[in-house]
Amino acid sequence: MNELPNFCGASFDSRGNGQMIAELAAQEWPGYVNQVMISTKWYAENFPKLKERMEDNTTNIPDDFFIRDDFRVVGLKSGVPCVLERSGGVREKRHGDGAIAKLMANHAMLEDEEKSYHPYKYAPVKTENLYRITGNNLWD
């Protein structure tokens, strides 16, 4: 992520195998990485935001067969959008990873807008030292 121009944030799946990766990324880029515990509630909150952005053409998906196939397995389960089943043939079973990656990218973008987090530099201000050391005792 150090090489990405204008990098402003990322969201990582921090459940199961992704937990260690998300923790390491959060340590490497503090303040930039959202560690997401994907749940039915999280899907219910975030899939509609992605769908809205796709419908108003503020985002899209690459013209790639496998990524489009990943979006085809997204459907409603008990009224909540989620990845329903694997897709593809025996040798190329997919788990909807492209759809989840796009959902995470959308989440990261929206989180950055909401938090308005931007790196800053510290510039010290010179002030008079009111606690001067007198003699050998710091507390005189």
Side-chain angles (χ1 to χ4, degrees), residues 86-120:
R86 293 183 190 188
S87 64
V90 175
R91 292 182 183 234
E92 67 268 348
K93 285 280 188 193
R94 308 223 5 120
H95 300 272
D97 291 342
I100 300 305
K102 182 66 174 186
L103 184 61
M104 292 295 234
N106 191 63
H107 177 264
M109 187 223 36
L110 293 174
E111 283 292 304
D112 185 54
E113 285 179 0
E114 290 175 13
K115 290 180 186 173
S116 296
Y117 178 85
H118 299 283
Y120 62 91

Side-chain angles (χ1 to χ4, degrees), residues 1-139:
M1 291 191 289
N2 291 333
E3 305 301 319
L4 295 174
N6 304 318
F7 172 68
C8 60
S11 291
F12 281 74
D13 177 6
S14 63
R15 278 200 183 274
N17 295 336
Q19 185 173 8
M20 184 182 76
I21 296 168
E23 288 175 2
L24 291 173
Q27 291 171 0
E28 182 73 20
W29 297 280
Y32 287 95
V33 174
N34 303 302
Q35 296 182 62
V36 177
M37 293 292 243
I38 294 179
S39 64
T40 303
K41 181 182 178 206
W42 189 84
Y43 280 142
E45 292 171 356
N46 288 281
F47 258 122
K49 294 175 186 177
L50 176 59
K51 182 181 179 197
E52 180 182 327
R53 292 193 65 232
M54 292 174 81
E55 288 173 345
D56 66 13
N57 291 322
T58 55
T59 192
N60 59 16
I61 57 174
D63 189 16
D64 177 88
F65 172 78
F66 292 110
I67 293 175
R68 289 189 182 277
D69 197 35
D70 285 346
F71 275 85
R72 286 187 185 99
V73 297
V74 175
L76 294 177
K77 182 176 182 180
S78 301
V80 176
C82 61
V83 175
L84 296 177
E85 59 186 55
R86 293 183 190 188
S87 64
V90 175
R91 292 182 183 234
E92 67 268 348
K93 285 280 188 193
R94 308 223 5 120
H95 300 272
D97 291 342
I100 300 305
K102 182 66 174 186
L103 184 61
M104 292 295 234
N106 191 63
H107 177 264
M109 187 223 36
L110 293 174
E111 283 292 304
D112 185 54
E113 285 179 0
E114 290 175 13
K115 290 180 186 173
S116 296
Y117 178 85
H118 299 283
Y120 62 91
K121 293 183 180 179
Y122 173 74
V125 177
K126 291 188 178 191
T127 59
E128 181 183 354
N129 185 355
L130 300 176
Y131 301 98
R132 293 192 181 114
I133 300 173
T134 58
N136 292 332
N137 189 344
L138 292 175
W139 309 109

